[in-house]
Amino acid sequence: MMKKVTVYITLKQGVLDPEGKAIGESLNALGYQEIVDARVGKFIELQVDEGPNLEERMNEMCDRLLANPIIEDYRFQVEEAVQS
Amino acid sequence: MKFAVIVFPGSNCDRDMYHAVKDVLGAEADLVWYQSSNLKEYDGILLPGGFSYGDYLRSGAVAATSDMMKQIKEQAKAGKPVLGVCNGFQILTESGLLPGALMRNKNLSFMCHQENLIVENNETLFTSGYEKGEVVKFPIAHGEGNYFCDEKTLNELKTNNQIVFTYQSNPNGSTHDIAGIVNKEGNVLGMMPHPERAVEKLLGSDDGLRLFQSVIQNWRNSYVTN
């Protein structure tokens, strides 16, 4: 079975995110005063052949390449891939 | 002494680096394409600036996974001098040869101008030609030069005297004003400012000359005594 893994990567809390800060301030400038903080990140969609240790291997891939654990946090979710 | 200037797809300061060591200093140097497998032939490795792999994912992240980086790690382990400038520094942190990470500049801008640096450590093979505390002028040209590390790493850098250059006036938000660091062993230097673009007075500064001269001099000394 094919799985779809979506990886979300953001800068760690406590690491300055100047882009997120600029976006938050822009939203404030547009009148959305309820915005207290904004963090920018990226998401990566992977189509994965299902095999053993999927979670473990995904964590490894995130630690080794997809995220930089020094400055970034990541999480991922695994879903059934929709066959096209 | 023979230098390898490593060329990744997207490197763009490779010619400047080559010009500095070959034409200005008169050392031997080759531009070495990243798919080459002959790194053993060289005495020193120069990782130039640019945008390897278009900065995809994170600056330096893709280049760090290349077979070339495996070879560079082996040569670094063998004690050969490795200098990474700008994108070269980013590749060195991404590959784990140097601690920490380089993040987006605090003001989000790409900055390209001269900066004054303080030589914090002149007891490395790269900086023995400078005075400790000396102020030198190198150009910077980066959008992601904001050095970050956690407190534990920063304390280690301080304890081991690994901080080599700091900014006199921090342009990018770097932790502890850090502009350049070496590994614990002292043979791998990563720095955001460009010494290879400061080798001719006509172009604004020749303060970078002594960095390359130091490397060559120290290589000669080790060669003679061994």
Side-chain angles (χ1 to χ4, degrees), chain B residues 4-15 17-18 30-36 39 45-49 52-53 63 66 68 72 91:
Chain B
V5 178
I6 310 298
V7 186
F8 284 104
S11 297
N12 67 8
C13 305
D14 42 336
R15 301 275 162 176
M17 192 70 97
Y18 180 81
D30 287 328
L31 291 166
V32 177
W33 184 237
Y34 78 111
Q35 286 171 325
S36 311
L39 215 51
I45 297 159
L46 305 171
L47 275 167
S52 56
Y53 297 91
S66 63
M68 177 52 83
I72 291 176
I91 296 170

Side-chain angles (χ1 to χ4, degrees), chain A residues 15 19 42 65-66 70-71, chain B residues 57-58 94 100 103-104:
Chain A
V15 172
E19 194 176 355
K42 50 193 142 192
L65 178 66
L66 301 180
I70 298 169
I71 45 171
Chain B
L57 195 62
R58 294 177 307 277
E94 279 288 343
M103 305 188 19
R104 195 88 182 264

Side-chain angles (χ1 to χ4, degrees), chain B residues 140-203:
Chain B
I140 60 162
H142 60 247
E144 302 191 10
N146 177 355
Y147 181 80
F148 176 87
C149 65
D150 60 23
E151 207 147 311
K152 184 171 163 273
T153 309
L154 181 61
N155 284 332
E156 278 175 24
L157 290 176
K158 287 182 188 167
T159 310
N160 302 324
N161 213 9
Q162 287 175 257
I163 302 169
V164 178
F165 294 106
T166 55
Y167 299 105
Q168 199 171 43
S169 163
N170 191 339
N172 55 22
S174 280
T175 302
H176 199 66
D177 304 329
I178 285 174
I181 55 169
V182 280
N183 61 345
K184 263 185 207 149
E185 295 73 22
N187 67 313
V188 179
L189 169 66
M191 57 193 298
M192 288 314 295
H194 290 266
E196 82 282 10
R197 291 189 189 164
V199 291
E200 284 148 309
K201 273 235 157 66
L202 184 66
L203 298 178

Side-chain angles (χ1 to χ4, degrees), chain B residues 49-147:
Chain B
F51 299 85
S52 56
Y53 297 91
D55 273 356
Y56 289 170
L57 195 62
R58 294 177 307 277
S59 310
V62 181
T65 65
S66 63
D67 181 66
M68 177 52 83
M69 272 322 290
K70 270 189 213 148
Q71 293 185 59
I72 291 176
K73 280 182 187 171
E74 280 166 22
Q75 299 306 313
K77 213 173 166 191
K80 284 188 191 171
V82 178
L83 167 67
V85 171
C86 200
N87 190 222
F89 186 12
Q90 294 162 341
I91 296 170
L92 289 174
T93 56
E94 279 288 343
S95 63
L97 273 172
L98 290 175
L102 290 143
M103 305 188 19
R104 195 88 182 264
N105 292 343
K106 198 174 173 183
N107 66 359
L108 295 173
S109 300
F110 185 94
M111 289 184 288
C112 188
H113 58 250
Q114 301 268 9
E115 276 290 339
N116 285 337
L117 307 180
I118 301 163
V119 180
E120 299 287 348
N121 179 357
N122 71 339
E123 290 171 1
T124 76
L125 66 93
F126 303 93
T127 52
S128 52
Y130 297 94
E131 299 293 323
K132 186 175 159 63
E134 185 180 344
V135 176
V136 292
K137 194 162 75 171
F138 290 175
I140 60 162
H142 60 247
E144 302 191 10
N146 177 355
Y147 181 80

